[in-house]
Amino acid sequence: GNESQVHWYGIVIDNREGQKKVLYLDSGSYSLSSMRERCLNHLDILNDYRDFLRSTGRIEVDVFTYTEQTHTFVDGQSNTQQNGYDCGVYALKNVEEYIFDRPYQITVCHSAMKIWRCKIIANLLKFAEDTGIIVVCRN
């Protein structure tokens, strides 16, 4: 997510059985009420998108509404950034750690930001190459 076009945070909507939750990952300062508001906002976006898909008929989408009752809101307790510009890296790394089932195994810290930026680019490039989105020429 992006708050007021100045701060990035991560949201994971986990639909696995027994895991149904909205995980909030924010390296900045925030209140639990702002966390809840942002989680609700992202559920609204997801519900609107699902409604759009159903209305176009191009893809079959079950009739289900994501709510605070269907998915628990969880504070992911991200590491805190030490400046005003690394939030995007924290957001991406925290989401990546959760998706690959290694939550917080690797500490995202300010001193390693250049490394994390390069790693994110390398991972995206590898994925794009593996899926055929791009072709990398090697000599």
Side-chain angles (χ1 to χ4, degrees), residues 9-56:
Y9 55 90
I11 294 273
V12 176
I13 301 172
D14 192 334
N15 288 314
R16 295 176 293 174
E17 284 302 319
Q19 300 282 332
K20 295 195 182 286
K21 63 186 163 201
V22 179
L23 182 67
Y24 182 75
L25 300 158
D26 192 336
S27 61
S29 61
Y30 56 93
S31 66
L32 291 179
S33 63
S34 67
M35 177 191 92
R36 180 179 175 275
E37 182 181 318
R38 291 172 182 171
C39 289
L40 285 170
N41 181 50
H42 285 274
L43 289 183
D44 287 344
I45 292 168
L46 177 61
N47 288 324
D48 289 347
Y49 182 64
R50 291 168 53 81
D51 289 344
F52 168 76
L53 291 175
R54 261 194 304 280
S55 71
T56 63

Side-chain angles (χ1 to χ4, degrees), residues 19-137:
Q19 300 282 332
K20 295 195 182 286
K21 63 186 163 201
V22 179
L23 182 67
Y24 182 75
L25 300 158
D26 192 336
S27 61
S29 61
Y30 56 93
S31 66
L32 291 179
S33 63
S34 67
M35 177 191 92
R36 180 179 175 275
E37 182 181 318
R38 291 172 182 171
C39 289
L40 285 170
N41 181 50
H42 285 274
L43 289 183
D44 287 344
I45 292 168
L46 177 61
N47 288 324
D48 289 347
Y49 182 64
R50 291 168 53 81
D51 289 344
F52 168 76
L53 291 175
R54 261 194 304 280
S55 71
T56 63
R58 292 186 201 154
I59 189 168
E60 190 173 319
V61 178
D62 62 327
V63 178
F64 179 83
T65 301
Y66 290 82
T67 68
E68 201 170 358
Q69 288 69 43
T70 65
H71 287 68
T72 305
F73 294 167
V74 177
D75 183 350
Q77 299 179 347
S78 171
N79 294 323
T80 304
Q81 68 189 73
Q82 298 174 7
N83 57 39
Y85 50 85
D86 284 334
C87 53
V89 176
Y90 277 89
L92 290 171
K93 285 306 298 173
N94 285 318
V95 168
E96 179 183 276
E97 293 302 306
Y98 184 80
I99 288 172
F100 289 110
D101 202 22
R102 43 179 207 238
Y104 320 114
Q105 182 180 29
I106 299 172
T107 301
V108 179
C109 60
H110 175 71
S111 62
M113 278 303 127
K114 286 183 181 179
I115 294 168
W116 289 124
R117 283 187 176 95
C118 292
K119 187 171 187 255
I120 290 167
I121 291 168
N123 288 343
L124 291 171
L125 183 61
K126 181 171 179 3
F127 177 78
E129 183 180 16
D130 290 349
T131 57
I133 294 171
I134 64 168
V135 176
V136 177
C137 298

